[in-house]
Amino acid sequence: MIVNRIVLSLFIVGLLWSCNNDDNSAPAPDPPRPLGEVLAEDEAKIQEYLKTHFYNYAEFQDPPEDFDYQIRVQEIPEGNTDTIPLIDQIESVEIKVPSSHYLIDGPAETVTHKLYYLKAREGLGESMTVADSAFVQYRGNLLTGEIFDENNADAPVWFDLAILQAPATSNISGTAARGFAEGVSLFKGGDEVIVNEDGTYSVENYGIGLFIFPSGLGYYNLARSTIPSYSPLVFSIDLFAVNQADHDGDGIPSIKEDTNGDGYLFNDDADNDGLPDYLDAETN
């Protein structure tokens, strides 16, 4: 994979590109519905999608000479019983989501959501955590197939996965889909980046995958750009490189400041000052 020369320095990306320019004239969202109720609806939609769609696994198993190693998902033609559907190739992880993340009225509850993922190629480089930064090419679409966001193959971008986990109640601006951070963290980067004579970078054996998650791991009741409220989301990604993060510069990797070990950085606040430990140099 050849990518254009880009300074590999971290910049915090709070929202996926298409979600940066929200329409300020859009009406305020309705009060959020109960998590469990919405999750049941999302799960039914996701299961139907997994049963009726497949990805180009044959090309990954026996790559043609000009294969670009991009995941392509298509609907299984009616009557086709030979194609392997996504539901027979997908894996899942469970992620707990508290109702407080979306300011839902009523008794507090924590609902376990499933994130579904497929590793077309795991990657042979560095492992990721949800506290690190990822250099990726990505495409996001709805279950209908409509693409709501993507970046050019020659222009990968850095995402700070920790910031993408921030809940709606956080005072950290620019929060985005937690499911994106959780999904990317399941893959590995590529081999060592090689700088070519023409100023491009060569990266081989990078992670390639697909993940799908319910709206409780996305934007929930908030409509974003062309994403309707309560929308499950689908992402395909190429993970080229990984940067282990130390957000507060205290010499401790941010993932080590997940003191309760649940993989979520916003509920660790040792000194109760309202600032997560991974952003607070005074806690370690």
Side-chain angles (χ1 to χ4, degrees):
M1 173 69 184
I2 306 298
V3 298
N4 285 342
R5 189 181 186 98
I6 298 177
V7 177
L8 298 183
S9 60
L10 172 65
F11 63 91
I12 294 178
V13 180
L15 293 176
L16 303 184
W17 293 117
S18 70
C19 301
N20 279 335
N21 298 315
D22 290 341
D23 183 357
N24 291 329
S25 64
D30 292 331
R33 296 166 52 201
L35 269 177
E37 178 183 295
V38 173
L39 178 59
E41 296 173 1
D42 286 353
E43 270 293 321
K45 295 174 185 176
I46 291 173
Q47 290 298 313
E48 178 65 16
Y49 180 86
L50 295 176
K51 293 174 182 176
T52 58
H53 289 73
F54 74 103
Y55 86 105
N56 52 329
Y57 58 85
E59 292 181 298
F60 279 91
Q61 293 170 354
D62 186 18
E65 186 175 343
D66 60 347
F67 186 41
D68 59 4
Y69 288 90
Q70 292 296 296
I71 289 179
R72 295 179 177 85
V73 176
Q74 302 176 58
E75 190 169 3
I76 299 175
E78 186 175 354
N80 183 326
T81 58
D82 296 325
T83 299
I84 303 173
L86 285 171
I87 198 166
D88 291 337
Q89 298 179 304
I90 211 87
E91 300 178 78
S92 66
V93 294
E94 294 185 342
I95 301 167
K96 295 181 179 180
V97 180
S99 57
S100 59
H101 281 197
Y102 297 106
L103 303 176
I104 298 172
D105 290 335
E109 63 173 342
T110 296
V111 178
T112 300
H113 289 56
K114 281 188 177 181
L115 180 146
Y116 298 89
Y117 66 96
L118 182 147
K119 293 183 178 180
R121 186 170 71 193
E122 182 178 31
L124 297 179
E126 290 186 73
S127 297
M128 284 289 307
T129 78
V130 291
D132 296 328
S133 299
F135 194 48
V136 297
Q137 175 189 348
Y138 67 92
R139 181 177 65 252
N141 60 268
L142 305 176
L143 295 181
T144 60
E146 179 183 354
I147 297 173
F148 60 80
D149 195 13
E150 64 183 330
N151 68 323
N152 187 286
D154 291 331
V157 294
W158 281 103
F159 279 107
D160 181 336
L161 300 189
I163 293 297
L164 296 189
Q165 296 186 65
T169 53
S170 172
N171 59 6
I172 298 174
S173 62
T175 61
R178 180 180 175 186
F180 184 86
E182 297 279 2
V184 174
S185 70
L186 297 170
F187 296 85
K188 296 180 180 179
D191 294 336
E192 182 180 357
V193 176
I194 298 174
V195 182
N196 303 308
E197 292 183 359
D198 63 357
T200 61
Y201 289 116
S202 296
V203 184
E204 301 293 338
N205 297 315
Y206 51 88
I208 303 172
L210 173 82
F211 45 90
I212 304 165
F213 51 86
S215 62
L217 293 172
Y219 298 108
Y220 204 57
N221 65 313
L222 302 177
R224 300 277 188 172
S225 184
T226 58
I227 304 174
S229 59
Y230 303 113
S231 291
L233 302 179
V234 183
F235 281 94
S236 59
I237 61 112
D238 298 330
L239 175 56
F240 300 126
V242 175
N243 179 61
Q244 186 183 69
D246 174 12
H247 289 81
D248 56 12
D250 63 358
I252 302 173
S254 292
I255 192 60
K256 297 292 186 181
E257 300 197 73
D258 173 27
T259 52
N260 62 14
D262 66 353
Y264 185 63
L265 278 70
F266 285 85
N267 59 5
D268 301 282
D269 183 8
D271 57 8
N272 295 310
D273 65 351
L275 192 63
D277 293 341
Y278 88 101
L279 294 174
D280 190 350
E282 295 182 2
T283 62
N284 50 54

